[in-house]
Amino acid sequence: MKSCGMSIGAFGLALALFMAPAIAQDGPVKLGVLTDMSSLYADNGGQGSVVAAQMAVDDFGGQVLGRSIQIVAGDHQNKADVGATIARRWLENENVEVILDVPNSAVALAVQGITRDKKKLFLATGAATSRLTGDECSPTGIHWTYDTYALSQGTTRAMSRLGASSWYFISVDYSLGAQLEADSRKVIDATGGKVIGAVKHPLNTPDFSSFLLQAQSSKADVIALADTGGDFINVVKQAGEFGITQRQKLVGLLVFIADIHSLGLQSAQGLMLSSAFYWDLNEDTRAWSKRFIAKTQKVPTMIHAGTYGAVMHYLKAVQAAGRLDGPTVAARMRAMPVNDLMTKNGRIREDGRLVRDMYLFRVKSPEQSKYKFDYYELLATIPGEEAFRPMEQGGCPLLKQP
């Protein structure tokens, strides 16, 4: 029997190796939500992003191209190396087709580089830095919800119109804070204002006293907060304790409704902010948000709504393309108009920027709020073409190709 050449065990192994690609092709289509599950951005993205992605899958019907759709989740811990490791494992070993969310700009830049190299899709629904559609743009990267440029345009211009002429920045010391401050400084310069000081603070710091005292002593009209999540909540609370808000205005450059909920209206009232989404904006946002609240008992943020919309648009593009190939699906996503609960007739530019309307809000006082999560007063709608950076100004290398 030894002359048969291949043992039964060897034949079985060879057959398994031969069949592996086919099995993988018939398995579920995997979408990876890479987020902050345990730290200062967990309320803004976190488990809520996983719920939003699953809602989109369920609403789509649970299948695409005859295959089931599976959501997988990972916690990047706000560390670029951790996020990069998860992204590589998903793409190289676990057949994940697209990565979503990533509410940390440093992690998002690392993930964008990996997905660019692997020709897989990255739908940045939680990251803010405008570099994702600038010098770090990608053929398979789409910046979905908001960015530092649009946020600075709305809030900074609004404060300038109200007479603010001098500014002091308190910025988180990584790529988010740097880009928020840089984009805002351009608006301040263009409107005739002046930045008279700035200070950087570590990510997830509990004590802002020294930073606030420096800002207070500057006597600037406006103290601009280029941070978000837990850092934003802490600095606003401590500014109130120092009595700073009695003489100087605080402006949040990246504010989520979950942050306002944590602060309470007594502390946050009067704050002006820009956002891509508000749950109570219209019938479509209310209908979807009520479903989200029923599942989570939490008010949805713009990251949650953006993640839902991005998953729906991705699945529609996959269905239309008839395949999962990253560059092909990315091109189809760019070719299709975006219409969902938060975007009407949006378009995805060549640099990967989804252009949609943004909104300027003022936080209500406790007396103005009439029901649960009734937190914002709409001041203005900013058309997408005005809100987002002109494509030719971003420095995206894709635009240089013939």
Side-chain angles (χ1 to χ4, degrees):
M1 293 299 291
K2 291 182 180 179
S3 62
C4 293
M6 181 180 289
S7 69
I8 293 175
F11 176 77
L13 176 61
L15 180 62
L17 292 172
F18 176 77
M19 291 296 291
I23 292 171
Q25 289 300 313
D26 292 334
V29 176
K30 294 183 180 180
L31 285 63
V33 177
L34 184 57
T35 189
D36 177 358
M37 289 290 193
S38 55
S39 189
L40 73 169
Y41 302 146
D43 285 342
N44 299 329
Q47 186 61 33
S49 291
V50 179
V51 171
Q54 188 62 54
M55 286 174 66
V57 169
D58 294 344
D59 288 350
F60 193 78
Q63 291 189 335
V64 67
L65 304 183
R67 295 165 59 180
S68 64
I69 305 165
Q70 180 182 350
I71 302 296
V72 298
D75 184 355
H76 59 51
Q77 302 174 38
N78 291 295
K79 298 175 182 177
D81 58 340
V82 173
T85 298
I86 295 171
R88 288 188 184 279
R89 186 183 76 237
W90 279 354
L91 301 180
E92 295 174 357
N93 303 325
E94 299 181 18
N95 300 311
V96 170
E97 298 291 342
V98 56
I99 296 177
L100 298 118
D101 195 3
V102 195
N104 179 297
S105 290
V107 181
L109 289 168
V111 171
Q112 178 114 309
I114 294 167
T115 52
R116 185 196 299 116
D117 292 343
K118 301 294 183 182
K119 295 182 170 56
K120 295 289 187 177
L121 275 157
F122 174 35
L123 308 182
T125 57
T129 178
S130 58
R131 291 185 63 195
L132 290 169
T133 54
D135 63 318
E136 290 289 342
C137 68
S138 165
T140 55
I142 295 175
H143 203 175
W144 193 268
T145 312
Y146 56 89
D147 64 25
T148 51
Y149 183 95
L151 294 166
S152 63
Q153 286 291 306
T155 309
T156 310
R157 285 191 184 278
M159 293 305 298
S160 296
R161 291 192 193 102
L162 292 174
S165 61
S166 59
W167 297 70
Y168 191 98
F169 282 90
I170 298 178
S171 304
V172 62
D173 192 11
Y174 80 105
S175 51
L176 168 68
Q179 200 63 52
L180 267 176
E181 182 177 329
D183 285 340
S184 297
R185 281 175 176 266
K186 292 175 183 176
V187 177
I188 292 167
D189 289 343
T191 54
K194 184 179 181 181
V195 177
I196 61 176
V199 65
K200 299 184 184 301
H201 69 80
L203 181 67
N204 205 15
T205 186
D207 185 6
F208 284 87
S209 57
S210 64
F211 311 117
L212 285 167
L213 288 173
Q214 292 177 62
Q216 187 178 41
S217 64
S218 75
K219 298 182 180 179
D221 296 334
V222 176
I223 300 173
L225 307 177
D227 54 18
T228 191
D231 284 332
F232 171 80
I233 292 168
N234 284 337
V235 72
V236 172
K237 284 182 177 178
Q238 292 173 37
E241 293 167 1
F242 278 98
I244 289 174
T245 52
Q246 297 175 15
R247 295 181 178 273
Q248 294 165 291
K249 292 183 176 66
L250 285 185
V251 168
L253 297 175
L254 178 50
V255 182
F256 293 92
I257 197 167
D259 305 332
I260 302 302
H261 182 72
S262 295
L263 281 167
L265 294 184
Q266 190 63 47
S267 296
Q269 61 181 312
L271 189 74
M272 295 177 67
L273 59 98
S274 295
S275 181
F277 171 82
Y278 176 46
W279 78 270
D280 203 14
L281 191 63
N282 55 49
E283 288 301 321
D284 288 343
T285 59
R286 279 189 286 273
W288 181 85
S289 296
K290 287 177 181 177
R291 293 170 53 209
F292 181 92
I293 293 168
K295 291 177 179 292
T296 65
Q297 308 307 310
K298 294 183 178 181
V299 61
T301 69
M302 56 179 163
I303 292 179
H304 301 147
T307 298
Y308 175 92
V311 171
M312 285 294 288
H313 194 70
Y314 167 76
L315 293 174
K316 290 176 183 177
V318 168
Q319 193 72 52
R323 55 193 296 182
L324 290 168
D325 172 68
T328 300
V329 176
R332 186 57 64 98
M333 290 181 74
R334 283 170 164 83
M336 297 166 55
V338 178
N339 284 288
D340 58 34
L341 75 153
M342 63 184 291
T343 308
K344 305 304 176 190
N345 296 316
R347 66 182 183 91
I348 302 170
R349 302 187 312 203
E350 187 178 350
D351 63 353
R353 177 66 257 167
L354 170 56
V355 179
R356 63 139 66 75
D357 291 348
M358 294 285 290
Y359 305 96
L360 182 67
F361 296 105
R362 179 187 288 121
V363 178
K364 291 183 175 182
S365 67
E367 295 74 27
Q368 291 174 311
S369 179
K370 303 303 181 186
Y371 42 87
K372 190 174 183 179
F373 303 136
D374 178 24
Y375 293 161
Y376 290 173
E377 174 190 358
L378 178 64
L379 299 181
T381 299
I382 307 168
E385 296 295 338
E386 295 179 18
F388 292 98
R389 180 179 59 203
M391 188 164 56
E392 62 275 9
Q393 295 180 13
C396 172
L398 298 176
L399 307 184
K400 298 177 183 178
Q401 298 178 1

